[in-house]
Amino acid sequence: METWTRRGAAFDCVPQPAACCPDWMAELPDALPLSRLSIPGTHDSLSLFGGRRLRCQSWGLEAQLAAGIRFLDVRCKLWRGELRIYHLCTFQRASLRGVLRRTLRFLRAHPGEAVLMRIKEELPIFSRPGFAAQLHRCLLEEGQGCVWCREEVPTLGQVRGKIVVLEALAREVLGIPYEQLSISDAWNVLSLERKWARVRRHLEKAAGGDPSTMYLTFCSGNGLFTYPEQVARFVNPRCQQHLRRRAGQPVRWGVVIMDFPGSGLLRLIVASNGHGTAAPSTARVPSRHPRGRGDRRRGQHSSARCPSARTLLPAPRLRRATSAPGGQKR
């Protein structure tokens, strides 16, 4: 099953995606909660540098969004008052402010879409004081009121044109608490077969589980004797084959988070939402993203940057009532 080509239906490590699907959420009903959707995402979304041991993606941020990715895994370190993007100790030549600006630029061009963004402090064992305060300031200043920072899972209609924050802070509440979600993130891979078995079990759990619960399945991994690209070459084709068995019927797979995803795998995840969702085209991703047909269908979304001003950031709330994060968190 594993092929060592640079581009396939399930695995793709070339700089530009083969699929372009910038407006697939615009086809879905407003009343759908995000927990009811199948959403393609990327693990360590900005990890483009660091060699094969650290590199997790080949597409830049704009290319991922245009291809249909709607979950971003963003990892930051506080450095001289700025939140910079890192993978372990390798700087990824980006900042959180820049990521927010670029994502909101995409959402202004495609106001029927929403982007889930997990924001995490990289290597929190060496946590710097002030990370949470700086994150709150950054979201407030760059979010332009288009950031969902409430604890409850919203409907799609509530967050069109917005970034939905999934945060992994220990005390403050700046979004949907990450540790309260159903997550499979067996990132330390000792056996590729066991890794895929855990991914498959959690995908089936998402397909038949509580529709009000958000499920996140990480297909990605790393290990002493393997690396992200090798894991993706093994797991992604098996994931595609598994999803293809139920192609043509609506299935909630939850958020499927991948390294080096291919266009065929993205197409299966998006199409599983049903409701007449358009499949990705095979056109190359343009450098500028024109408004899709979802804008014409939803003229109310294109009249303003944000449907509601009531989603402005709340003040940080200390002493979270939930328990300490479990062992699933990375």
Side-chain angles (χ1 to χ4, degrees):
M1 181 180 294
E2 185 177 17
T3 58
W4 288 90
T5 59
R6 297 191 67 208
R7 167 172 283 168
F11 173 90
D12 191 340
C13 66
V14 302
Q16 288 290 338
C20 184
C21 190
D23 294 290
W24 66 266
M25 281 183 164
E27 305 287 334
L28 302 177
D30 282 347
L32 274 177
L34 294 188
S35 60
R36 298 285 298 271
L37 299 182
S38 298
I39 299 174
T42 49
H43 152 259
D44 235 315
S45 304
L46 281 298
S47 183
L48 301 170
F49 308 101
R52 72 175 191 174
R53 300 299 307 181
L54 292 180
R55 183 170 174 259
C56 298
Q57 307 301 332
S58 61
W59 305 340
L61 176 61
E62 287 79 6
Q64 290 184 36
L65 293 171
I69 297 296
R70 293 295 176 268
F71 170 92
L72 300 174
D73 181 20
V74 180
R75 302 171 181 224
C76 314
K77 285 185 183 181
L78 182 60
W79 177 257
R80 296 182 179 179
E82 180 185 23
L83 292 175
R84 295 185 174 188
I85 309 301
Y86 275 81
H87 186 183
L88 297 180
C89 295
T90 300
F91 177 48
Q92 297 300 319
R93 308 179 194 178
S95 68
L96 180 60
R97 287 184 181 273
V99 170
L100 292 171
R101 290 170 188 168
R102 293 157 64 189
T103 304
L104 288 172
R105 188 183 305 130
F106 171 84
L107 289 171
R108 285 195 295 271
H110 304 276
E113 306 300 293
V115 174
L116 283 70
M117 187 178 291
R118 177 203 183 192
I119 302 177
K120 174 185 181 292
E121 184 177 12
E122 185 72 330
L123 291 176
I125 192 172
F126 304 114
S127 179
R128 290 178 176 266
F131 179 89
Q134 183 63 27
L135 173 57
H136 180 263
R137 184 179 303 113
C138 187
L139 291 173
L140 185 62
E141 293 173 357
E142 300 297 338
Q144 306 172 27
C146 293
V147 179
W148 179 271
C149 287
R150 302 179 187 177
E151 292 187 70
E152 66 269 17
V153 176
T155 64
L156 183 54
Q158 289 177 296
V159 292
R160 292 193 192 273
K162 293 183 173 66
I163 295 171
V164 180
V165 175
L166 282 65
E167 53 85 5
L169 300 175
R171 295 183 179 181
E172 291 83 353
V173 175
L174 295 178
I176 299 173
Y178 183 77
E179 71 272 9
Q180 293 183 8
L181 310 178
S182 178
I183 302 167
S184 174
D185 187 7
W187 64 269
N188 188 13
V189 177
L190 300 177
S191 162
L192 291 172
E193 290 287 355
R194 284 200 294 270
K195 168 64 182 179
W196 162 239
R198 294 190 66 167
V199 169
R200 184 183 64 245
R201 284 196 300 268
H202 202 258
L203 287 172
E204 287 304 312
K205 183 179 178 182
D210 181 0
S212 66
T213 298
M214 187 174 287
Y215 291 82
L216 278 68
T217 304
F218 282 83
C219 300
S220 55
N222 207 340
L224 183 61
F225 303 108
T226 187
Y227 51 93
E229 181 180 327
Q230 188 178 16
V231 175
R233 287 183 181 275
F234 185 90
V235 174
N236 289 9
R238 286 159 177 79
C239 184
Q240 182 190 26
Q241 186 179 60
H242 184 73
L243 269 56
R244 190 187 290 134
R245 292 174 182 149
R246 298 175 68 175
Q249 55 182 299
V251 184
R252 190 275 301 266
W253 298 115
V255 185
V256 185
I257 304 162
M258 301 158 284
D259 287 341
F260 304 105
S263 61
L265 183 50
L266 290 178
R267 185 180 298 112
L268 280 171
I269 297 169
V270 169
S272 68
N273 289 292
H275 303 287
T277 306
S281 69
T282 56
R284 290 179 63 83
V285 178
S287 57
R288 294 178 181 270
H289 310 307
R291 293 184 183 273
R293 60 179 178 177
D295 300 339
R296 296 193 294 271
R297 290 186 60 197
R298 297 186 178 274
Q300 68 271 26
H301 299 304
S302 60
S303 61
R305 291 182 180 180
C306 305
S308 171
R310 291 180 293 174
T311 56
L312 291 173
L313 285 167
R317 196 166 66 208
L318 300 181
R319 288 183 287 189
R320 187 198 297 279
T322 58
S323 60
Q328 287 179 317
K329 288 184 64 178
R330 297 180 60 171

